[in-house]
Amino acid sequence: MSDTSQERQTLSFDSDAGSKRSKFIAGGIALLIALWMGSGYIIPSEETEEAAPAPIAPEAVTVAVRGSQADSVTQVFVAEGQALPDRDTMVRAEAGGEIAEVLVAKGDVVEAGALIARLSTTARDSDLARAREELSRAQREYDNAQALLDRGVSTVDRVSQARATLAAAQASVTAAEEALNNTEIRAPFPGRLEMLDISAGEFVSTGEEIARLVDNTPLTIQVQVPQQSLKDIEEGQEAEVVFITGTEAQGKVQFVSSSASAETRTFTAEVRVENADGSIPAGISARVRIPTGETRAHFVSPAILSLDTNGTLGVKTVNDDDKVVFNKIAIVRAQTDGIWIAGLPDEAQIITIGQGFVNDGETVNPQPETGGDNEGEAQPMTGVPEIDELEDQPSGDGQITGSAEAAQPEQVE
């Protein structure tokens, strides 16, 4: 065949019935895909929500508790003071002159009016003799003037002049006798001579100090009372006094000042202690304890004390609903084996172990305390001294503390 004679014929399937059916199928599939993809915008799908897990209730903290019963405790005001003598004075010479005789020695106990020393009286004896002679002459002149006036040969003026001369002479005798008496130096009150600074032959001037006389029967213990404790201290209250020497004595409050010191804002109180034999020296330190009333308190260990968010000191207890209660407390008394505190109910379940892990209002699982050496366990010991009575404790201003009764209670287990 030649190229020109042969014409290319293009294949066509339009006349084929099967070709039209395949187009409809492809178009339908494409439409279905488009409808499926757009169905999410028209019909929202139902989202499956996951059910939230139920909250798990926290397990209650287990704490150890111990039952405690309050007991009556005597509140006591405790303060440091100093023993002052009842009277302390310097003996002075009432006249000047030479010491003729000393009749006592330093350290002697003398009675009121006892002769301590005597000055030379030579000059004063002469003065007294001359004054007495002048008095005798003035008396005669007055008698003569009065007699002449009675006979009418004298005047009233002369009698008046004689009377004035007589009075002056009497005054001179009195002064001379007083000067002679002043040559004797006597004790103004009973006491002990703490200082005697004269000897025979010495010359003393008028008003010169020659001895110191101290009367320490009774003694006065002077203490300072803080403002907050003033209402608890009254005149007439009984007081216990322990001196630094170990001597104990009973006293009574005899004075409470009504004005505070400008420097310390404290009030001065004085306790009188009878010291009839003078065995307690003046000037030594003393501790004064004045009972001021009673309160209810629990005996606990300091280990159970805690602080709240405000820094308040307290103790945590458990109530009947097993909830923690923070109780603000005050320390009434401290001793070597524990402390007495006020502020709790008469009967309380005190948390002794675990108090640091629970807060006020939380529900806990209280369990009775077991064992004998647990934290917070304290048993009062009879005869144990209070901390404020120990000699090695620092002293300070007075404060209200407490003193338990003789029969101290055991804690309720």
Side-chain angles (χ1 to χ4, degrees):
M1 278 186 197
S2 64
D3 295 334
T4 57
S5 61
Q6 294 179 349
E7 293 180 357
R8 294 180 180 178
Q9 292 182 355
T10 304
L11 295 176
S12 174
F13 302 96
D14 294 338
S15 60
D16 189 358
S19 64
K20 293 181 180 180
R21 189 166 51 250
S22 62
K23 291 180 180 179
F24 289 129
I25 294 172
I29 293 173
L31 180 62
L32 290 175
I33 293 173
L35 290 174
W36 175 75
M37 293 181 66
S39 63
Y41 296 97
I42 300 173
I43 304 173
S45 62
E46 295 182 2
E47 296 181 0
T48 58
E49 296 183 357
E50 261 186 51
I56 302 174
E59 186 177 354
V61 177
T62 300
V63 295
V65 297
R66 174 167 50 86
S68 179
Q69 177 70 43
D71 189 44
S72 295
V73 176
T74 302
Q75 289 185 302
V76 180
F77 172 80
V78 182
E80 298 286 344
Q82 184 180 12
L84 304 177
D86 186 49
R87 289 175 289 188
D88 185 350
T89 188
M90 298 300 297
V91 181
R92 302 174 183 271
E94 297 185 35
E98 182 182 343
I99 300 294
E101 185 180 12
V102 179
L103 292 92
V104 294
K106 182 168 63 175
D108 287 352
V109 177
V110 297
E111 297 296 330
L115 187 60
I116 297 175
R118 183 182 290 113
L119 302 178
S120 176
T121 61
T122 303
R124 290 173 177 79
D125 287 339
S126 300
D127 292 341
L128 179 58
R130 182 170 57 254
R132 285 174 176 170
E133 287 297 327
E134 288 293 331
L135 176 60
S136 178
R137 184 184 62 80
Q139 185 67 53
R140 289 196 301 272
E141 288 185 357
Y142 173 75
D143 293 341
N144 291 336
Q146 186 66 45
L148 293 174
L149 180 62
D150 293 341
R151 291 201 298 264
V153 294
S154 181
T155 62
V156 175
D157 291 340
R158 182 178 177 184
V159 174
S160 297
Q161 182 179 3
R163 185 183 295 110
T165 302
L166 176 61
Q170 289 173 337
S172 297
V173 170
T174 302
E177 290 176 344
E178 184 68 20
L180 185 61
N181 291 335
N182 289 340
T183 60
E184 295 182 345
I185 303 174
R186 298 181 178 274
F189 53 81
R192 189 172 187 265
L193 287 170
E194 295 293 324
M195 185 269 284
L196 185 63
D197 197 18
I198 56 173
S199 58
E202 290 185 9
F203 182 86
V204 295
S205 303
T206 303
E208 182 178 343
E209 296 178 351
I210 63 167
R212 179 190 175 199
L213 186 64
V214 176
D215 178 17
N216 63 348
T217 56
L219 287 173
T220 299
I221 316 302
Q222 191 175 84
V223 298
Q224 299 302 315
V225 181
Q227 301 176 69
Q228 62 270 22
S229 301
L230 183 63
K231 65 181 184 303
D232 300 308
I233 309 300
E234 299 177 354
E235 295 180 10
Q237 285 178 306
E238 297 294 330
E240 301 174 6
V241 182
V242 180
F243 296 93
I244 197 170
T245 57
T247 305
E248 299 182 7
Q250 294 295 318
K252 183 174 292 187
V253 179
Q254 67 172 0
F255 171 76
V256 179
S257 65
S258 57
S259 61
S261 168
E263 293 78 17
T264 61
R265 296 299 179 186
T266 57
F267 295 79
T268 300
E270 295 180 355
V271 176
R272 180 188 179 96
V273 175
E274 298 297 337
N275 187 29
D277 56 357
S279 60
I280 305 174
I284 63 174
S285 300
R287 174 165 291 182
V288 176
R289 303 177 74 253
I290 305 174
T292 59
E294 289 192 352
T295 187
R296 303 286 291 177
H298 293 259
F299 187 78
V300 299
S301 167
I304 72 170
L305 302 183
S306 59
L307 300 175
D308 66 1
T309 55
N310 297 323
T312 304
L313 185 66
V315 169
K316 294 175 182 177
T317 60
V318 176
N319 61 15
D320 295 338
D321 297 328
D322 293 342
K323 290 185 179 296
V324 178
V325 178
F326 182 84
N327 303 270
K328 180 181 178 182
I329 59 97
I331 298 177
V332 175
R333 172 194 173 188
Q335 60 187 55
T336 55
D337 60 330
I339 57 175
W340 292 88
I341 60 172
L344 301 180
D346 275 2
E347 295 184 3
Q349 294 293 324
I350 301 175
I351 301 177
T352 57
I353 300 178
Q355 67 269 24
F357 301 98
V358 294
N359 297 317
D360 186 29
E362 290 185 9
T363 301
V364 294
N365 177 27
Q367 297 296 323
E369 185 181 59
T370 59
D373 298 324
N374 290 326
E375 176 190 0
E377 184 174 3
Q379 296 295 330
M381 298 171 59
T382 304
V384 175
E386 298 177 18
I387 288 180
D388 59 25
E389 290 181 354
L390 301 180
E391 295 182 359
D392 58 353
Q393 296 298 319
S395 61
D397 288 339
Q399 59 182 347
I400 296 292
T401 64
S403 175
E405 296 179 346
Q408 297 179 350
E410 294 186 358
Q411 304 303 317
V412 179
E413 296 295 345

